[in-house]
Amino acid sequence: MVSRTKAINELKSLIVVAPEQIRAQLRGRTLRSQLTRIEELQVSATASIEHRLCVFSLQSIAARVKFLFTQLAELDPQLLELIKQHPAGPVLLDEPGVGPVVAAQLLISWSHHGRVRNEAAFASLAGVAPLETSSGQHSRHRLNRGGDRALNRALHTVAITRMRCHPETRAYEIRRTAEGKTHRDIRRSVKRALARRLYRRIEAAAQLVTTPAAA
């Protein structure tokens, strides 16, 4: 996914600096449509070296983007099957905003029962435990830039998704906004709450499996 995003960004950047004759054919199109049009681009023998190199570069990057799309389409179902085999996998996938990739990252960072002692430690590991920056009569907190950044990114994805289309989270955002909180402050709080909720759900699902075996 990271490779695909980088390739898409590289493609978009090249389109921006491409000659106008090429840009005009790609402007306003969706990514899929741009990929198809780039593949169809023809270069005449009289075209300038700049034009020929630009088309070659666009087609090379577009081919890489299409390959990565195909690769992800093949890998995603297998990843989903693997996650469902984990005791906490189905529980996580039932959570709004949690897809196979996010669920996989949550399970990788959690690792196993006992690695992270409690939900506060999990929040700290994820870098979503706010750090106090109060001074004088002002009470403030800031984002924690440390911790497992991949886990932080996974929680960020869930938070953004829920703030956009999860009724309960949207209601929370509206209420906190009315109280004067900024979007960043609200997102930080949502991520902290998600760390608590998702950690507890993983732990509960894992213990349901290990407890009978221990008995």
Side-chain angles (χ1 to χ4, degrees):
M1 288 183 66
V2 172
S3 298
R4 182 185 63 179
T5 301
K6 288 181 178 179
I8 291 173
N9 290 340
E10 188 178 353
L11 182 70
K12 295 292 186 180
S13 297
L14 185 55
I15 291 175
V16 170
V17 298
E20 175 59 26
Q21 181 183 356
I22 297 175
R23 285 204 311 273
Q25 301 180 59
L26 303 174
R27 188 179 295 118
R29 293 174 177 260
T30 63
L31 175 62
R32 295 282 187 178
S33 178
Q34 285 179 335
L35 293 174
T36 300
R37 186 68 193 95
I38 289 171
E39 191 176 19
E40 296 170 348
L41 289 175
Q42 300 291 328
V43 181
S44 66
T46 58
S48 66
I49 183 65
E50 178 190 16
H51 185 93
R52 294 200 303 270
L53 284 175
C54 184
V55 171
F56 173 81
S57 298
L58 284 169
Q59 290 180 336
S60 176
I61 299 171
R64 192 192 325 155
V65 172
K66 293 183 73 171
F67 167 76
L68 291 169
F69 267 112
T70 302
Q71 193 175 47
L72 280 171
E74 295 173 350
L75 290 174
D76 281 349
Q78 298 181 54
L79 177 61
L80 179 60
E81 182 180 348
L82 182 62
I83 291 169
K84 287 181 177 179
Q85 294 176 12
H86 192 284
V91 172
L92 288 176
L93 292 172
D94 284 341
E95 287 288 320
V98 177
V101 175
V102 169
Q105 185 58 59
L106 290 168
L107 294 174
I108 289 170
S109 298
W110 173 79
S111 182
H112 58 275
H113 177 65
R115 182 199 179 216
V116 184
R117 64 183 181 276
N118 54 37
E119 57 90 7
F122 188 73
S124 181
L125 173 66
V128 297
L131 301 177
E132 188 172 0
T133 57
S134 301
S135 62
Q137 297 180 346
H138 299 281
S139 178
R140 297 191 184 91
H141 292 80
R142 69 171 177 84
L143 293 173
N144 187 341
R145 302 297 180 184
D148 183 338
R149 303 315 297 171
L151 176 58
N152 184 284
R153 185 165 57 248
L155 291 175
H156 181 84
T157 299
V158 182
I160 293 298
T161 303
R162 290 198 180 204
M163 292 173 72
R164 185 172 62 244
C165 56
H166 185 237
E168 184 179 340
T169 307
R170 284 181 58 82
Y172 172 80
E173 181 181 13
I174 293 172
R175 177 168 59 83
R176 297 291 281 174
T177 300
E179 295 173 357
K181 296 295 183 181
T182 65
H183 180 76
R184 176 177 290 185
D185 289 336
I186 297 169
R187 187 176 67 238
R188 185 195 68 220
S189 298
V190 171
K191 289 168 70 174
R192 177 63 180 87
L194 283 170
R196 178 187 305 111
R197 175 179 176 81
L198 297 176
Y199 171 81
R200 290 177 177 177
R201 301 216 69 183
I202 294 173
E203 282 286 317
Q207 288 183 23
L208 283 175
V209 175
T210 57
T211 300

